[in-house]
Amino acid sequence: MLRAAARALAQILSPSFRAVLLKSAGAALALLIVVGVALQRLFAAALERGVAWIEAYLDGAYRWAVDLLELALTVLASLGLVAGMVFLMPAVTALVAGFFADEIAAAVEREHYPCDPPGADLPVISALFEGGRAALLALAVYVCAAPFLLVGGLGAVVFFLATAFLLGREYFDLAAMRFRSPAEAKALRRRHAGQVFFAGLVIAAFATIPLVNLATPLFGAAFMVHMHKRLSESQRPLSLKRCASRETGMILGRRMLTALAAAAALVCSGAEGGAMDALASIPPNLDAPAKELFGARSLPADAMSPRAIGFYAKGCLAGAVALPVDGPTWQVMRLSRNRNWGHPDLIALLERLANKVPEVAGWPGLLIGDIAQPRGGPMLTGHASHQVGLDADVWLSPMPDRILTPQEREDMPPTSVVAPDGKDVDPAVWTSGHGAVIKAAAEEPEVERIFVNAAIKKALCREAAGDRSWLHKVRPYYGHHSHFHIRIRCPKDSPGCTSQPEPPPGDGCGPELDWWFSDAVLHPKPKPKGPERPVKLSDLPSECRQVLIAP
């Protein structure tokens, strides 16, 4: 629990939280001011009426006493108003949390749980209802607890415990309902009522610190995301646990190296600036394997505009955006790889293509495989390309008409549409829908090439009717028997991107295709392999160093 609180505190001032911190603190402060002004005016009106009644009753006598009483009541009201603002702070922050809980939780999930599927945002009405309900419940409990203020310090203890109980409930439910139904979220909270209450004590302690407590929605929501993940640990698939363990090790290792490097730079330079300024002057290791450096980055670079840098098989990606793991007509596979990032143009194309699929092929949607890492670059396993966010693999399996579980997305094998001898497609698997999906992708103007198995190209050449111009984009290549590979052209916003030459003219269905079915290609003789030299950071465009070290 202490670790979860420390992680939440550490992220409050991070770049990913800065904007929402200002918004939530501003909203809480504005709401407090509105309530305070309303109470002040209500009291002033009541005092004015009361004084007028007393003066009329006394018929002008004892004017000095009335003035003294008015002054005393005004001072007491002012002190009471200040105390009331402190009193109302938990209720106000609970209400504000309903507006920002999803934005906060999503940032925590991206930073600390990149292997897990992200939670689903609550409908706005539901989030506001939960926040409003918690605020009203807080006021009701505080009114009931108010008499205890007359019993020495007991009142403060009662208020603190009531605040812990209410805030623990509110923030845990908001975090849990991103992954569960309201009934399931509340049932989980009840099963772990003790731990949730103690977590509420931590949030309540945070809420007692003047000014700092304006950030209570951020701290409370972030803290409870970590708590919900911990209490749900037994339900996580084994593959996600392994991924999370590996990711945590990478993050801790990077943070330790970062801290040591920053400290060394500060000592050597005698600088008075912050550690981040010193760190920015430390160049990355140019001789390190680039796949290890880029594979360790779990998020894209902050505040970098989208740019594909270099060539498809030797470059990196700035300003990447993620394809949502679930869409109306697509689902992302192999979530533990964290490779659903790409240039915005590619992500938009994939969403557009997926939305066409039900009409052109009769499939519910697409299963999307690897796209790129958060910052592109060489990958620890698999592809030589996919480095600049302009390549994507699409499975040749229709999306099921249900949401796949995280475990299914890790374990489900792709289906090969190629016959065992490799000379043609398998008629028991191949359908016209497969051809329609590939054709729809090839007809997208941004698409430069589509790589498929030669047997699939052969089937497309045989079955294509009418306008066959799209076929020249479909190129045969090794493998690709269970997925096809989309590659788009370099975007206009990426002057440092190197495009591939245009495919040869024609539909590619002539003698050049026959070569792929020769015995030398279908049954190649094994070649001795020497030691492979890994791609180093120095082999990539120099801009990739800035992409790598950017916060």
Side-chain angles (χ1 to χ4, degrees):
M1 184 178 298
L2 292 178
R3 183 186 177 195
R7 295 171 84 180
L9 281 172
Q11 197 172 0
I12 284 179
L13 295 177
S14 68
S16 60
F17 262 31
R18 210 162 288 159
V20 71
L21 171 61
L22 294 175
K23 289 188 291 186
S24 63
L29 186 60
L31 188 56
L32 280 173
I33 291 173
V34 169
V35 173
V37 170
L39 290 176
Q40 188 274 334
R41 291 188 176 181
L42 181 64
F43 173 78
L47 182 61
E48 183 179 355
R49 286 175 176 266
V51 169
W53 180 85
I54 293 174
E55 287 180 339
Y57 180 79
L58 296 177
D59 195 21
Y62 302 102
R63 177 66 192 180
W64 63 271
V66 174
D67 291 342
L68 184 60
L69 177 62
E70 183 178 4
L71 176 62
L73 289 176
T74 301
V75 172
L76 289 174
S78 299
L79 294 174
L81 188 61
V82 173
M85 294 300 98
V86 176
F87 173 85
L88 289 172
M89 178 60 76
V92 168
T93 55
L95 181 59
V96 169
F99 288 91
F100 300 105
D102 282 319
E103 190 174 353
I104 297 165
V108 176
E109 291 162 10
R110 286 194 303 269
E111 171 70 19
H112 294 281
Y113 305 97
C115 301
D116 292 12
D121 288 355
L122 292 177
V124 175
I125 298 300
S126 299
L128 294 181
F129 173 79
E130 290 296 326
R133 184 179 62 84
L136 292 175
L137 183 59
L139 291 176
V141 170
Y142 292 160
V143 169
C144 295
F148 289 98
L149 290 173
L150 303 175
V151 189
L154 180 60
V157 174
V158 170
F159 273 111
F160 183 77
L161 295 177
T163 299
F165 171 73
L166 293 167
L167 295 184
R169 283 172 53 101
E170 164 71 1
Y171 287 106
F172 185 85
D173 286 352
L174 288 174
M177 285 191 293
R178 289 175 55 80
F179 298 90
R180 308 167 185 270
S181 69
E184 291 172 335
K186 291 174 173 58
L188 180 66
R189 169 168 51 78
R190 286 191 288 269
R191 284 199 302 273
H192 300 280
Q195 294 183 67
V196 172
F197 175 72
F198 279 108
L201 289 174
V202 177
I203 301 174
F206 186 93
T208 61
I209 306 172
L211 296 181
V212 172
N213 54 13
L214 290 172
T216 300
L218 272 78
F219 175 72
F223 180 33
M224 282 305 189
V225 168
H226 294 301
M227 289 297 299
H228 174 255
K229 290 289 186 181
R230 190 166 72 84
L231 297 179
S232 304
E233 184 70 18
S234 61
Q235 301 173 13
R236 298 177 78 198
L238 181 59
S239 60
L240 292 186
K241 291 180 182 178
R242 289 171 177 167
C243 171
S245 176
R246 183 170 65 251
E247 180 68 24
T248 299
M250 289 179 177
I251 291 173
L252 290 176
R254 291 199 308 272
R255 288 179 178 173
M256 184 177 294
L257 290 174
T258 296
L260 291 174
L266 284 172
V267 170
C268 294
S269 65
E272 296 180 358
M276 291 305 296
D277 294 332
L279 178 60
S281 65
I282 302 174
N285 183 0
L286 299 181
D287 292 326
K291 63 182 180 180
E292 295 179 6
L293 297 173
F294 282 93
R297 305 298 279 178
S298 61
L299 291 171
D302 282 342
M304 275 193 148
S305 58
R307 282 178 297 134
I309 302 167
F311 188 64
Y312 302 93
K314 187 176 287 187
C316 59
L317 173 63
V321 297
L323 177 69
V325 298
D326 290 313
T329 52
W330 73 84
Q331 295 183 49
V332 176
M333 306 299 287
R334 307 298 193 252
L335 300 177
S336 63
R337 297 178 181 178
N338 193 29
R339 295 177 182 175
N340 59 315
W341 301 85
H343 187 281
D345 287 2
L346 177 63
I347 300 304
L349 181 141
L350 291 173
E351 295 183 0
R352 189 166 63 248
L353 174 64
N355 290 331
K356 292 181 181 179
V357 164
E359 180 180 352
V360 302
W363 292 6
L366 296 178
L367 297 178
I368 307 296
D370 287 352
I371 304 175
Q373 299 175 138
R375 305 190 186 205
M379 297 182 179
L380 289 168
T381 58
H383 318 274
S385 60
H386 290 259
Q387 294 191 28
V388 294
L390 305 180
D391 297 279
D393 289 341
V394 179
W395 285 25
L396 287 165
S397 304
M399 184 187 82
D401 57 2
R402 62 180 179 84
I403 300 295
L404 296 171
T405 67
Q407 192 66 52
E408 287 175 316
R409 299 184 198 222
E410 296 297 322
D411 299 338
M412 178 186 293
T415 301
S416 173
V417 299
V418 177
D421 63 5
K423 296 182 178 181
D424 210 329
V425 292
D426 185 343
V429 181
W430 177 263
T431 68
S432 61
H434 292 92
V437 171
I438 296 173
K439 179 176 182 288
E443 289 177 335
E444 290 287 340
E446 299 97 326
V447 171
E448 183 180 72
R449 273 175 173 75
I450 291 180
F451 297 106
V452 297
N453 188 278
I456 296 174
K457 173 73 175 185
K458 182 178 183 179
L460 295 173
C461 291
R462 182 173 62 238
E463 298 171 4
D467 180 10
R468 296 168 60 90
S469 61
W470 57 273
L471 280 169
H472 88 285
K473 293 184 181 180
V474 182
R475 314 308 300 178
Y477 202 71
Y478 301 98
H480 295 85
H481 51 81
S482 59
H483 73 272
F484 66 95
H485 177 145
I486 297 175
R487 173 170 292 174
I488 69 171
R489 294 183 174 85
C490 287
K492 294 180 179 178
D493 62 15
S494 304
C497 175
T498 304
S499 287
Q500 198 169 357
E502 285 291 324
D507 59 14
C509 297
E512 66 268 33
L513 181 59
D514 297 336
W515 176 82
W516 287 91
F517 300 102
S518 64
D519 188 68
V521 176
L522 292 176
H523 307 288
K525 294 180 180 180
K527 296 180 180 180
K529 289 187 177 181
E532 293 186 4
R533 175 187 177 276
V535 176
K536 298 180 180 181
L537 182 58
S538 57
D539 297 324
L540 302 180
S542 58
E543 290 179 81
C544 292
R545 302 170 199 174
Q546 295 303 317
V547 172
L548 184 66
I549 67 174

